Amino acid sequence: QIQLVESGGGLVQAGGSLRLSCKAITRTFSAYAMAWFRQHPGKEREFVASIGWGGNTPYYADSLEGRFTISKDNDMNIMYLQMNNLEPDDTAVYYCAADWGAQIHKAPEFWGQGTQVTVSS
């Protein structure tokens, strides 16, 4: 149905930027709602941002809007997360997720393997 592969994580200093990518293998990329989640060690996975099917209606966690930007390239089947002004608390494993719609913010059907983001002070 869909396969998701994240990339772009790494080590960055506080105040710096990273751009995460999620490559989707599917015949119907634009039909999925897509999202980014992140998980701190020992914590539950938390919602970061989402973008609706067809690339419309970006939505962000309240605490992250303004620093993070989600986007999609439907022709290339790639979703991005641009992260600016990074803080040490942004350190987490970031996951790409996909769903057919209503569950994208809570329990997406499909997940990538995750990519580590580490922000140094």
Side-chain angles (χ1 to χ4, degrees):
Q1 294 174 318
I2 190 169
Q3 185 177 1
L4 306 170
V5 181
E6 303 96 332
S7 62
L11 176 65
V12 64
Q13 294 182 350
S17 299
L18 282 175
R19 189 193 195 196
L20 305 183
S21 298
C22 173
K23 175 67 176 180
I25 302 174
T26 179
R27 296 180 180 179
T28 56
F29 181 67
S30 63
Y32 289 91
M34 304 289 293
W36 289 98
F37 287 72
R38 68 184 184 182
Q39 187 169 18
H40 300 277
K43 303 293 185 180
E44 294 292 322
R45 195 169 298 182
E46 66 179 28
F47 172 76
V48 173
S50 67
I51 188 163
W53 59 268
N56 296 320
T57 316
Y59 181 74
Y60 301 91
D62 290 342
S63 62
L64 300 177
E65 187 170 10
R67 294 196 299 120
F68 290 11
T69 302
I70 190 171
S71 62
K72 287 198 305 181
D73 185 333
N74 288 323
D75 293 328
M76 296 296 295
N77 286 14
I78 300 176
M79 178 179 65
Y80 301 99
L81 183 68
Q82 179 67 46
M83 304 185 294
N84 298 325
N85 299 315
L86 285 164
E87 305 168 356
D89 192 54
D90 294 320
T91 296
V93 177
Y94 285 72
Y95 295 90
C96 176
D99 197 81
W100 287 285
Q103 297 299 311
I104 192 62
H105 302 114
K106 297 180 179 180
E109 183 76 14
F110 307 101
W111 295 90
Q113 83 289 346
T115 185
Q116 177 71 47
V117 172
T118 302
V119 184
S120 63
S121 60

